[in-house]
Structure formats: structure tokens, C-alpha cells
Amino acid sequence: MASEREKLEKYISDAKLGPVSRRKLLKAFDADNPSPGHGAPNPNRTPVKML
Amino acid sequence: MEQPVPAFGYETEVEIQHILARPAFDELVNLAAETCLTAPRRMELHEQALKTAERPPTADAELVAKLGLWGVRSAHEMHHYPDSFTGRGGSRDPLQEDILLGDSSIMHPSRFSGRIDRDVQRKIEAFGQAVLDEAFICLGEDALDKVREYQSARGAKQKLHIINWLTKRVDQIQRHTDPRTEDVATEAVSPTGAGAEDEVAKEVYFYHPARLSPKLIGQFPDIEFNPTCLGVSVLVAAFAQKAGIPYLHAGVAQSSGEASREDYIHAIADVMVRAMDMGIKFPDAVRESFADIVRDAREELYKDHGYHAAVVMQITPTKWLQIDTNFNACRMYYKQESLELCEVYKTLTKLKPVAPSLEHMYDLYTGMEQPFVRMLYDRLHEQFAPTPEAIRSYLLEHDTATLAELAETFIDPLFSSEDNDATTQALRLELKRHTDGFIWKEKPDSAGRVPELHMQDVIRRYVFPDANNDDLTASLARCKRDPAYLERRVEDLLLAPLLYIVMLTGDLSNEAINGSGRYSHATLELGLPAYRIGAAILSDFDIYCGGDIPASFWLTYWPSHVSVTERIGQHENRPDEYIQRNTATLLAKTRLRYSKSHSIIQKFLEELPD
């Protein structure tokens, strides 16, 4: 079964997009990026330590 | 806070830099529009409409020109939260005086941003507007009927009914292609499941800006990809926009869980100060445990989990809602909180013609557990305050006692009083909330743990570790024949109520962290939706697919804390660095900031050359 990333890559490859946009979007998969952007799908549920 | 001014003419250099960045910005808008919109040309219609709606400059325009957007937002935040530049309960910072007296570097807008080109602002807002139009389609064919139902609804109850439909629909879209099965989801919320949830998040939610695209997400029920948290907030915003609901888009600066971690740290610091005041010494083991707890809480608090987004909307003149399906944090605000939101909304709307990009921190945090804990402290001091003599007498006068009985002697005076004053009533109510299971409801790892049990825990672990199960008979007998043992127990029992408060705070913090309390977020960075959504999406696309636009450009066109921390340290040249340095210093001075910003800003400022 394809991973989410593979599915999205294929989708972008097949989508109606100009070649420049497609190239940039595909390149973004391997972006060497220090920031996770708006990518906080789940809150940090790690509990605090108790006494 | 003023930093060394770079070489003469830096304003001109910034302006030239921004003019040179325009082609990259236009290219970025084209990329985002092509990715997010079925018909990118619709954006142009919005752009044209915004241009037509423009009016000649007003007094507000003069104010914005004089103070700049960072200055205006700081002034508004200080007006709403006089302690915003001091810290909760802290002393006033000279910066605040400077700003109020009008003699501060913040009065020089060019030190925080470049000159504003309305054409760029219009593009950002028009893009956001077009994304909202497109996102509405994602909600499904029946969404328009729901909009009409909302518009004809009478009263809050009927409207809430439609909003419940909306949150359910957004949740369905969000989970439609989510490979997390029910089994995995169950594991993720197991008592020790936080790590499991993180692992799932890493695997599934790799970040890509295409996940913000309503065009790629698809129309319910034919969802191609689940949106990110920002994408989810855009779906909610799209409904509010279509229905004409007054609403704002929000960056979650501090969630309830993050606020609770901070509270826990404060509670431990408070306990240490109180113990010192009372002349009580901490055993080494307790001191080490405190240090470990605080270190761990800080680490978690400052971890970079990415930015999170939500929506707040008004359903009646005095009722606002927070909608955040991602964090399971959808709730109605209290009346006072709602009225404050009305004020922020009015301010941002009034200034929209001259400052559509303006942001405003909304700090509704008065503490989830703090009032309760504070009341306990007060009671401890005012009415309870066990003395060494009283404890010594108890230990010498009793031959038999159980842990439960001893715990009660400490708990009862805390929660009951002959005076039926407001504090006593509030404490009784809180105790009822806890013991009725309101707080600990559906929490498998601590079901049944009520305050008395916390006190028993404390006494068992820190006072009588030698007790035979719950029976203190042997320990009480030793008190009578071993004076040194007795004195150590007296000291430990003086400390016990303080340790009890730490334990209770920790438990309440974990309730907020695990989400079962459905608390509201503590601090939100609010902005007008179309502009904020446009800027946030373009910024994310730039981070991942572009990167040719200087940081000072974003600080100029999106005066959000996100713009400061997202590109921190990525300055092109001295003027860019100078503007970054000033905005970072401004953020370092305010308590109203994103939790994760603290360490990012601190590191940046420490590493800067003098």
C-alpha cells in the first residue's frame, strides 16, 4: 500500500499544474527545512512528571 | 531594546530588497494559486474588489503610518493587557513606560518593517479570500443548505446545532483518508500512549503545503487528502465566511496544555518560596524530584511542534466559540471572554481599511488550576497553617491512626471552614468537581484518585515510608520513644500540604494536556481571516517551495509572531538582520507569545554578533 507521501507525490505529478509549479511542489518533499510550518496535527500529549 | 543601527541608508536598502523580491513574491502567489484554486483568476476579481473598496486615508491611516503595524499591535496589546510586557504578576518593564510615553524604538516603524505596498497586501488578502471560496466547496454539496439553515436559525441553540454539524463534517474530512485505524487511535490515547501518538504523527502527518490546498483536498465525501491543521481551520473559516458569521482566524500561541505546563512550573516555584517563608527544609530527594519535573516540563513546553491554527466565531452578541477539531478543543467562551473577543474583533475590523494584516494577541488565560491552587495556598496560610506544636501534639496524643485518618486531618481544614465564605464555597465546589469525577472522568490511569488519596500518597511516601500498609500504629509508637524521629516527622508533616498541592497541580495539568477537559486555548494570535489565511498559506509555500523572499518582507506584510520565528536567522544582509533582531527583541520582552518562540528567540539573540 502506498504511503501518504507516495500518494501525494503521484497526485501532484498527475494534477493539472504548470511544469514550474509541479517541479517546486515535488521538490518540497525533500525540503531541508528547519521549520515544521503549520504542521501541528496533534497537541503534545506527553504528561508532566508527577512528584 | 534598541539595537545598534546599521550603516546609513538601511531603510533604502530594505526598500530596494523588497522591490527586488516582488518577482519572487508574484511567482509564489502564482504557485500557491495554481495549487490551491480551481480557477486562479477568481483571485483577480477579489483583488479588483478590494481596490475599488479603498477609501482616502483617515486618521487611522496616520496612526498606522506613524507607529507601524508592530507599534500599533503592541499598543493595543498593552491596552488590553497592561502586564503584557512584564509577565504575570511581574514588575513593569521600562519598555512599557517608553511605549506609553512615546519615546521608544518601537515608535520608529522602519526598525521593524519596510514600507508597505498596498498592492502586495491586496494580493495576499485576495488570495486568502479565493482560498476561502474554494474551501467551502470541500465541505460538500449540502454545505450551502446548512449555511441557509444557520442564517435562518433563531437563537444560540439552533445555531450551535449547525456548528456541531460543521465540526463533525470537518472531522470527517480530516479523517477521511487518515490511515490511523480505530485500533491505532485507541493505542494513541492509552495511559502511556503519548509516545505512540507522536510516532503516528511522524509517520502520517509529514508536512507538505499541498495539504493546504482545497483544490487537492477534494469535495466531501470524495476526499483525496486530509488537510493539515491550518487546512482544517480554513474549512471552518470557509463556512463562517459564507454564512456571514463574525469570526477571526487564530494562531494558537499557547494551548491549554502548554499553559498547564507553565502553571505546573510556577506552582513548584511557589511551593519552594512558601516553604522557605515557613522555614521548612526540603529533603534532597524532593528537591531533586522538583528539579527533574521542572526541567522536563520546560523541555516539553519549548519543543517545536509546528504552528497550530484555530477559528473563533461569534454566534450571538455575547457568545463566541472556539473551534479546533484537531485538538478536540471546541468550546463556548464565558461571557466576559466573549465580550473581550468582541473588542478585539471591533478593533481589527475598524482598522481593516488601513491595516488588514494587523494581528492581536488574545490572552484569556486566567489559569485552569491556578485559582483552585491559589485558594488552597491562601487557606493554608490564613486558616489552616499547621504549627509544629499542633503536629507534635497530634503525634504524641494518638496511639493508633490510619493513613486515611491522618490525611483527613490535613484535607478537612483545607476544604471546610466554619465561615461559609466565598473561598470555602469555591473550594467545596472544586472538591465536589474532583470527587464527583468531573475532573478525572474517563481517565483510566488515575480513576478514583481524589484529593484525599493524593494526601495519603504524600504521607505514605514522604512522611511515613515505614508504615505498615495503611496502619500507622508502629510509627506513632516510635514517635513517643524516639525524639529525633518525632522531630523529622513533624518537619515532614509541615511540608506535606505543600507537596500535596504540587501533586494536585500536576494531576490537573495532565487533565488539560490529555485534552479531556476541553479547555480553551490560553493565548491566541488573532487576525482578520482572509488576510491571515492568505499570509499563512503563502508563508508556508514560501518556506517549502520558495525561500527567495527576505525575512523582512514577511515581517512587513505579515506582522505575526510566526513571521519572526519561522525565518529567524535567515537574513540576507545587515538591514534584514537588523529588522529581525528588533522584532525578535520585541517578542523576547512580551509574555504574550507562542510557547515555542521562547527558545528560538533566545538562541537567535544569544548567537547574534554584538
Coordinates of all heavy atoms in Angstrom, one line a residue, chain B residues 309-357:
Chain B
A309 N -3.4 26.2 14.2 CA -4.4 27.2 13.8 C -5.8 26.8 14.3 O -6.1 25.6 14.5 CB -4.4 27.5 12.3
A310 N -6.6 27.8 14.6 CA -8.0 27.6 15.0 C -8.8 28.8 14.5 O -8.3 29.7 13.9 CB -8.0 27.5 16.5
V311 N -10.1 28.7 14.9 CA -11.0 29.8 14.5 C -11.9 30.1 15.7 O -12.3 29.3 16.5 CB -12.0 29.3 13.3 CG1 -13.2 30.2 13.1 CG2 -11.2 29.1 12.0
V312 N -12.1 31.4 15.8 CA -13.1 31.8 16.9 C -14.3 32.6 16.2 O -14.0 33.3 15.2 CB -12.5 32.8 18.0 CG1 -11.5 32.0 18.8 CG2 -11.9 34.0 17.4
M313 N -15.5 32.3 16.6 CA -16.6 32.9 15.9 C -17.7 33.3 16.9 O -17.9 32.8 17.9 CB -17.2 32.0 14.8 CG -17.7 30.6 15.3 SD -18.6 29.7 14.0 CE -17.2 29.1 13.0
Q314 N -18.5 34.3 16.4 CA -19.5 34.9 17.3 C -20.9 34.4 16.8 O -21.2 34.5 15.7 CB -19.5 36.4 17.1 CG -20.5 37.1 18.1 CD -20.5 38.6 17.8 OE1 -20.4 39.1 16.7 NE2 -20.6 39.4 18.9
I315 N -21.6 33.8 17.8 CA -22.9 33.2 17.4 C -24.0 34.1 17.9 O -25.2 34.0 17.4 CB -23.1 31.7 17.7 CG1 -22.9 31.5 19.2 CG2 -22.2 30.9 16.9 CD1 -23.6 30.2 19.6
T316 N -23.8 34.8 19.0 CA -24.8 35.8 19.5 C -23.9 37.0 19.9 O -22.7 36.9 20.0 CB -25.6 35.3 20.6 OG1 -24.8 35.3 21.8 CG2 -26.2 33.9 20.4
P317 N -24.6 38.1 20.2 CA -23.8 39.3 20.6 C -22.8 39.0 21.8 O -21.8 39.7 21.9 CB -24.8 40.4 20.9 CG -26.0 40.0 20.0 CD -26.0 38.5 20.0
T318 N -23.2 38.1 22.6 CA -22.4 37.9 23.8 C -21.8 36.4 23.9 O -21.3 36.0 24.9 CB -23.2 38.1 25.1 OG1 -24.3 37.3 25.1 CG2 -23.5 39.6 25.3
K319 N -21.9 35.7 22.8 CA -21.4 34.4 22.8 C -20.4 34.1 21.6 O -20.8 34.2 20.4 CB -22.5 33.4 22.6 CG -23.3 33.1 23.9 CD -24.2 31.9 23.8 CE -24.8 31.5 25.1 NZ -25.8 32.4 25.6
W320 N -19.2 33.8 22.0 CA -18.2 33.4 21.0 C -17.8 31.9 21.2 O -17.8 31.4 22.3 CB -16.9 34.3 21.1 CG -17.1 35.6 20.4 CD1 -17.8 36.7 20.9 CD2 -16.4 36.1 19.2 NE1 -17.7 37.7 20.1 CE2 -16.9 37.4 19.0 CE3 -15.6 35.5 18.3 CZ2 -16.5 38.2 17.9 CZ3 -15.2 36.3 17.2 CH2 -15.6 37.6 17.0
L321 N -17.4 31.3 20.1 CA -17.0 29.9 20.2 C -15.5 29.7 19.7 O -15.1 30.5 18.8 CB -17.8 29.0 19.2 CG -19.3 28.9 19.4 CD1 -19.8 28.1 18.2 CD2 -19.6 28.2 20.7
Q322 N -14.8 28.8 20.3 CA -13.5 28.4 19.8 C -13.7 27.1 19.0 O -14.3 26.1 19.6 CB -12.6 28.2 20.9 CG -11.2 27.5 20.5 CD -10.3 27.3 21.7 OE1 -9.7 28.2 22.2 NE2 -10.3 26.0 22.1
I323 N -13.3 27.0 17.8 CA -13.5 25.8 17.0 C -12.1 25.3 16.7 O -11.3 25.9 15.9 CB -14.2 26.0 15.7 CG1 -15.6 26.7 15.9 CG2 -14.5 24.7 15.0 CD1 -16.7 25.9 16.5
D324 N -11.7 24.1 17.2 CA -10.5 23.5 16.9 C -10.7 22.0 17.0 O -10.5 21.4 18.1 CB -9.4 24.0 17.9 CG -8.0 23.3 17.6 OD1 -8.0 22.5 16.7 OD2 -7.1 23.6 18.3
T325 N -11.0 21.4 15.9 CA -11.3 19.9 16.0 C -10.0 19.1 16.1 O -10.1 18.0 16.6 CB -12.1 19.5 14.7 OG1 -11.3 19.9 13.6 CG2 -13.5 20.1 14.6
N326 N -8.9 19.7 15.6 CA -7.7 18.9 15.7 C -7.3 18.6 17.2 O -6.9 17.5 17.5 CB -6.5 19.8 15.2 CG -6.3 19.6 13.7 OD1 -6.6 20.4 12.9 ND2 -5.8 18.4 13.4
F327 N -7.5 19.6 18.0 CA -7.0 19.5 19.4 C -8.2 19.1 20.3 O -8.1 19.2 21.5 CB -6.4 20.8 19.9 CG -5.0 21.0 19.6 CD1 -4.5 20.5 18.4 CD2 -4.1 21.7 20.4 CE1 -3.1 20.6 18.1 CE2 -2.8 21.9 20.0 CZ -2.3 21.4 18.9
N328 N -9.3 18.7 19.7 CA -10.5 18.4 20.5 C -10.8 19.5 21.5 O -11.1 19.3 22.6 CB -10.3 17.1 21.3 CG -11.5 16.6 22.0 OD1 -12.6 16.9 21.6 ND2 -11.4 15.9 23.1
A329 N -10.7 20.7 20.9 CA -10.9 21.9 21.8 C -12.0 22.9 21.2 O -11.6 24.0 20.8 CB -9.6 22.6 22.0
C330 N -13.2 22.4 21.1 CA -14.3 23.2 20.6 C -15.1 23.6 21.9 O -15.6 22.7 22.5 CB -15.2 22.5 19.6 SG -14.3 22.0 18.2
R331 N -15.2 24.8 22.1 CA -16.0 25.2 23.3 C -16.5 26.6 23.2 O -16.0 27.4 22.4 CB -15.1 25.1 24.6 CG -14.0 26.1 24.7 CD -13.4 26.1 26.1 NE -14.2 26.7 27.1 CZ -14.0 27.9 27.5 NH1 -13.1 28.7 27.0 NH2 -14.8 28.4 28.4
M332 N -17.5 26.9 24.0 CA -18.1 28.2 24.1 C -17.3 29.0 25.2 O -17.0 28.5 26.2 CB -19.5 28.1 24.5 CG -20.2 29.5 24.5 SD -21.7 29.5 23.7 CE -22.6 28.1 24.0
Y333 N -17.0 30.3 24.8 CA -16.3 31.1 25.8 C -17.3 31.6 26.8 O -18.5 31.8 26.6 CB -15.7 32.3 25.1 CG -14.5 32.0 24.3 CD1 -14.5 32.0 22.9 CD2 -13.3 31.6 24.9 CE1 -13.4 31.6 22.1 CE2 -12.2 31.2 24.1 CZ -12.3 31.3 22.7 OH -11.2 30.9 22.0
Y334 N -16.8 32.0 28.0 CA -17.6 32.6 29.0 C -18.0 34.0 28.5 O -17.3 34.6 27.6 CB -16.9 32.7 30.4 CG -16.6 31.3 31.0 CD1 -15.3 30.9 31.2 CD2 -17.6 30.5 31.3 CE1 -15.0 29.7 31.7 CE2 -17.4 29.3 31.9 CZ -16.0 28.8 32.1 OH -15.8 27.6 32.6
K335 N -19.0 34.6 29.2 CA -19.5 35.9 28.7 C -18.4 36.9 28.7 O -18.2 37.7 27.7 CB -20.6 36.3 29.6 CG -21.3 37.6 29.1 CD -22.5 38.0 29.9 CE -23.1 39.3 29.4 NZ -24.1 39.8 30.3
Q336 N -17.6 37.0 29.8 CA -16.6 38.1 29.8 C -15.5 37.8 28.7 O -15.1 38.8 28.1 CB -15.9 38.1 31.2 CG -14.9 39.2 31.4 CD -15.5 40.6 31.2 OE1 -16.7 40.8 31.5 NE2 -14.7 41.5 30.6
E337 N -15.2 36.6 28.5 CA -14.2 36.3 27.5 C -14.8 36.7 26.1 O -14.1 37.2 25.2 CB -13.9 34.8 27.5 CG -13.2 34.3 28.7 CD -13.1 32.8 28.8 OE1 -13.9 32.1 28.1 OE2 -12.3 32.3 29.6
S338 N -16.1 36.4 25.9 CA -16.7 36.7 24.7 C -16.7 38.2 24.4 O -16.5 38.7 23.3 CB -18.2 36.2 24.7 OG -18.2 34.8 24.6
L339 N -17.0 39.0 25.5 CA -17.0 40.4 25.4 C -15.7 41.0 25.0 O -15.5 41.9 24.2 CB -17.5 41.1 26.6 CG -19.0 40.8 27.0 CD1 -19.4 41.4 28.3 CD2 -19.9 41.3 25.9
E340 N -14.6 40.3 25.5 CA -13.3 40.8 25.2 C -13.0 40.4 23.7 O -12.3 41.2 23.0 CB -12.2 40.1 26.1 CG -12.2 40.7 27.5 CD -11.4 39.9 28.5 OE1 -10.5 39.1 28.0 OE2 -11.6 40.0 29.7
L341 N -13.5 39.3 23.3 CA -13.3 38.9 21.9 C -14.0 39.9 20.9 O -13.5 40.3 19.9 CB -13.8 37.5 21.6 CG -12.8 36.4 21.8 CD1 -13.4 35.1 21.8 CD2 -11.7 36.5 20.7
C342 N -15.2 40.4 21.4 CA -15.9 41.4 20.6 C -15.0 42.6 20.5 O -15.0 43.2 19.4 CB -17.2 41.8 21.4 SG -18.5 40.7 21.2
E343 N -14.3 43.0 21.5 CA -13.5 44.2 21.5 C -12.3 44.0 20.4 O -12.1 44.9 19.6 CB -12.9 44.5 22.9 CG -13.8 45.1 23.9 CD -14.4 46.4 23.4 OE1 -13.6 47.3 23.0 OE2 -15.6 46.6 23.4
V344 N -11.7 42.9 20.5 CA -10.6 42.6 19.5 C -11.2 42.6 18.1 O -10.6 43.2 17.2 CB -10.0 41.2 19.8 CG1 -8.9 40.9 18.8 CG2 -9.4 41.2 21.2
Y345 N -12.3 42.0 17.9 CA -12.9 42.0 16.6 C -13.2 43.4 16.1 O -12.9 43.7 15.0 CB -14.2 41.1 16.7 CG -14.9 41.0 15.4 CD1 -14.5 40.2 14.4 CD2 -16.1 41.7 15.1 CE1 -15.1 40.1 13.1 CE2 -16.7 41.6 13.9 CZ -16.3 40.8 12.9 OH -16.9 40.7 11.7
K346 N -13.8 44.2 17.0 CA -14.1 45.6 16.6 C -12.8 46.3 16.2 O -12.8 47.0 15.2 CB -14.8 46.3 17.8 CG -16.3 46.2 17.8 CD -16.8 47.2 18.9 CE -18.0 46.6 19.6 NZ -18.3 47.2 20.8
T347 N -11.8 46.2 17.0 CA -10.5 46.9 16.8 C -10.0 46.5 15.4 O -9.6 47.3 14.6 CB -9.5 46.5 17.8 OG1 -10.0 46.9 19.1 CG2 -8.2 47.2 17.6
L348 N -9.9 45.2 15.2 CA -9.3 44.7 13.9 C -10.2 45.1 12.7 O -9.7 45.5 11.7 CB -9.1 43.2 13.9 CG -8.1 42.6 14.9 CD1 -8.1 41.1 14.9 CD2 -6.7 43.2 14.6
T349 N -11.5 45.1 12.9 CA -12.4 45.4 11.8 C -12.3 46.9 11.5 O -12.3 47.3 10.3 CB -13.8 45.0 12.1 OG1 -13.8 43.7 12.6 CG2 -14.8 45.2 11.0
K350 N -12.2 47.7 12.6 CA -12.2 49.2 12.4 C -10.9 49.5 11.6 O -10.9 50.4 10.7 CB -12.2 49.8 13.7 CG -12.1 51.4 13.7 CD -12.2 52.0 15.1 CE -12.0 53.5 15.1 NZ -10.6 53.9 14.8
L351 N -9.8 48.9 11.9 CA -8.5 49.2 11.3 C -8.3 48.5 10.0 O -7.3 48.7 9.3 CB -7.4 48.9 12.3 CG -7.3 49.8 13.5 CD1 -6.2 49.4 14.5 CD2 -6.9 51.3 13.1
K352 N -9.2 47.6 9.6 CA -9.0 46.9 8.3 C -8.7 47.7 7.1 O -7.8 47.4 6.4 CB -10.3 46.0 8.1 CG -10.1 45.1 6.8 CD -11.4 44.3 6.6 CE -11.2 43.4 5.4 NZ -11.0 44.0 4.1
P353 N -9.4 48.8 6.9 CA -9.1 49.6 5.7 C -7.6 50.1 5.6 O -7.1 50.2 4.5 CB -10.1 50.8 5.8 CG -11.2 50.4 6.7 CD -10.5 49.4 7.6
V354 N -7.0 50.3 6.8 CA -5.7 50.8 6.7 C -4.6 49.7 7.2 O -3.4 49.9 7.0 CB -5.5 52.1 7.6 CG1 -6.3 53.2 7.0 CG2 -5.9 51.8 9.0
A355 N -5.1 48.7 7.9 CA -4.2 47.7 8.4 C -4.8 46.3 8.3 O -5.1 45.7 9.3 CB -3.8 48.0 9.8
P356 N -5.1 45.8 7.1 CA -5.8 44.5 7.0 C -4.9 43.3 7.6 O -5.5 42.3 7.9 CB -6.0 44.3 5.5 CG -4.9 45.2 4.9 CD -4.7 46.3 5.8
S357 N -3.6 43.6 7.7 CA -2.7 42.5 8.2 C -2.5 42.5 9.7 O -1.8 41.7 10.2 CB -1.4 42.6 7.5 OG -0.8 43.9 7.9

